[in-house]
Amino acid sequence: MKDNNAKYVLLGLLSHNPMTGYDIKKSVATRMSYFWDLSYGQIYPTLKDLEKNKLITKKVEQNEKGQNRKVYTITDAGTKELQEWLAKPARKEVHKYEFLLKLIFGDQADFELNLKHIEEFKARNQRILQTMKLFEENVKPILNQSEAHFYVLLTVLLGKSISKASVEWAEDALKLLREHSGGEVKT
Amino acid sequence: MKDNNAKYVLLGLLSHNPMTGYDIKKSVATRMSYFWDLSYGQIYPTLKDLEKNKLITKKVEQNEKGQNRKVYTITDAGTKELQEWLAKPARKEVHKYEFLLKLIFGDQADFELNLKHIEEFKARNQRILQTMKLFEENVKPILNQSEAHFYVLLTVLLGKSISKASVEWAEDALKLLREHSGGEVKT
DNA sequence: TCTGCTATATATCAAATTGATATATAATTT
DNA sequence: AAATTATATATCAATTTGATATATAGCAGA
């Protein structure tokens, strides 16, 4: 079977709770919003694939009201596969900062435009920072309830640190840019 | 023609200097290493496409020794297209932290494994931090030589801030993890 | 000298991913 | 009553990735 990260995200999440594809999408979009993303185009085919290979099992919940929910549960083989993957070294981080792509060509644009890109980046990171602080507050009181919470906290703390550093950079960059553009050169 | 970021990376780089596809690959891999990546599979087809649409022009350098170099130069239409793109708001940042994917399922692994993932992340970021410091030192003395250098500096400063924050997080996380695993619970 | 390694340079392609869209129903808001 | 949001599954064209193929030059070391 194909060996992509999506496979292990699903196994990992299902190792905590049985879930539907829709649940998984939501889970990734909240818990992992800072550092990962999965589309339905990855989730549903991968669920099929995992089931075919007996790493998870499907149970169709007959629901009178609404769509039938297909709830997936991890198997022992699935748990083993997950643990083997966890033992392998991680690949290096991948980043895409589209705004830096625009900023690095800032000499081709005018001052206000460059300011705007930085300000929008700052605003995005302020929102993320707030979210991370909220997550932190929510997880800290329930740390003792489950071993898994501790690891969620670690990931949240990285998101918090980086978004904070990003906001601080933005403030410095705005200052530097204003000096660079506005400041007359003194004798 | 297709409208992807690769197109604008090429136009942006060619707005500074005429280059070959190979030069572009190297340029992205150094200047932009922190925040963007382009494969040959994007570069060569996009160069063809840009030339067909007269946003760049090709000049084949007849080289007795070695392969012929195809040097591309941006046109006025290309410059205009670049500037229009620069004026549009940037999309939000995309991150992939594979090690966090492993760490967030840390309850399924053992202590040493989780430590190892954090340590490797720390090492990666220490290397990046050093590179960014080097870039900073190299660019600062030549800031007055070209307007473009100032914008490169801004991007380098963000890479520096974030890799520094990442190293610091790693140190805190290692401490927290050791406490979490090793510390006996007191009355 | 020749062997292997690195650098220059262009090019392609299978496999994976993205982002959008389609379908259907329930619940909630206006 | 209509519109919007939420739940839930599914597909697919377009794009991106990562690897590989091809060819030549230059250099280090055995």
Side-chain angles (χ1 to χ4, degrees), chain A residues 38-93:
Chain A
L38 278 188
S39 66
Y40 287 123
Q42 289 173 282
I43 293 171
Y44 286 110
T46 305
L47 282 172
K48 244 180 213 164
D49 212 31
L50 287 170
E51 197 205 351
K52 208 177 65 195
N53 287 276
K54 309 211 186 272
L55 302 181
I56 62 176
T57 55
K58 179 168 68 181
K59 203 179 165 189
V60 182
E61 275 186 12
Q62 292 298 347
N63 229 343
E64 312 94 58
K65 48 174 192 167
Q67 287 268 110
N68 282 348
R69 286 163 50 87
K70 297 181 186 172
V71 182
Y72 294 90
T73 306
I74 197 167
T75 63
D76 288 347
T79 305
K80 213 186 133 209
E81 194 106 334
L82 171 64
Q83 286 167 350
E84 277 165 21
W85 172 76
L86 288 172
K88 288 182 199 154
R91 289 204 239 173
K92 72 174 207 289
E93 289 62 52

Side-chain angles (χ1 to χ4, degrees), chain B residues 11-177:
Chain B
L11 289 176
L13 287 172
L14 295 177
S15 82
H16 293 158
N17 290 303
M19 285 182 183
T20 67
Y22 185 76
D23 293 335
I24 287 168
K25 175 71 176 152
K26 267 196 303 176
S27 239
V28 172
T30 52
R31 275 179 170 66
M32 304 189 178
S33 61
Y34 186 67
F35 63 90
W36 207 263
D37 190 35
L38 279 189
S39 65
Y40 287 123
Q42 290 172 283
I43 293 171
Y44 287 109
T46 304
L47 282 172
K48 245 181 211 163
D49 212 32
L50 287 170
E51 197 205 350
K52 209 177 67 195
N53 287 277
K54 309 208 186 274
L55 303 180
I56 61 176
T57 54
K58 179 169 68 182
K59 205 180 163 186
V60 181
E61 275 185 13
Q62 292 297 348
N63 228 343
E64 313 95 57
K65 48 174 194 168
Q67 289 267 109
N68 281 350
R69 286 164 50 86
K70 298 182 185 172
V71 182
Y72 293 91
T73 306
I74 197 167
T75 64
D76 289 345
T79 306
K80 213 185 132 208
E81 194 107 333
L82 171 65
Q83 285 167 352
E84 278 165 20
W85 172 76
L86 288 172
K88 289 181 198 154
R91 289 205 237 172
K92 73 173 206 289
E93 289 62 51
V94 175
H95 305 285
K96 292 200 180 181
Y97 288 85
E98 196 183 292
F99 98 101
L100 283 186
L101 223 47
K102 301 206 180 209
L103 192 62
I104 205 170
F105 302 130
D107 60 311
Q108 301 291 318
D110 59 47
F111 174 60
E112 278 80 16
L113 219 47
N114 295 328
L115 275 187
K116 212 190 76 190
H117 288 310
I118 299 175
E119 270 158 6
E120 285 169 358
F121 173 73
K122 184 182 166 188
R124 282 195 292 279
N125 278 279
Q126 282 174 322
R127 281 194 295 275
I128 294 169
L129 180 53
Q130 273 193 298
T131 306
M132 293 300 142
K133 283 180 177 170
L134 198 67
F135 283 176
E136 189 187 4
E137 280 170 38
N138 291 344
V139 174
K140 273 191 168 165
I142 54 166
L143 274 181
N144 58 316
Q145 279 177 29
S146 149
E147 177 74 359
H149 292 332
F150 172 73
Y151 294 98
V152 171
L153 177 63
L154 288 184
T155 68
V156 167
L157 289 175
L158 181 57
K160 191 183 154 192
S161 295
I162 293 184
S163 50
K164 194 159 164 264
S166 298
V167 170
E168 286 164 6
W169 169 87
E171 279 157 8
D172 294 345
L174 287 171
K175 225 175 283 171
L176 282 172
L177 188 56

Side-chain angles (χ1 to χ4, degrees), chain A residues 153-165:
Chain A
L153 177 62
L154 289 185
T155 69
V156 167
L157 291 176
L158 182 57
K160 191 183 156 194
S161 295
I162 293 183
S163 50
K164 193 159 166 266

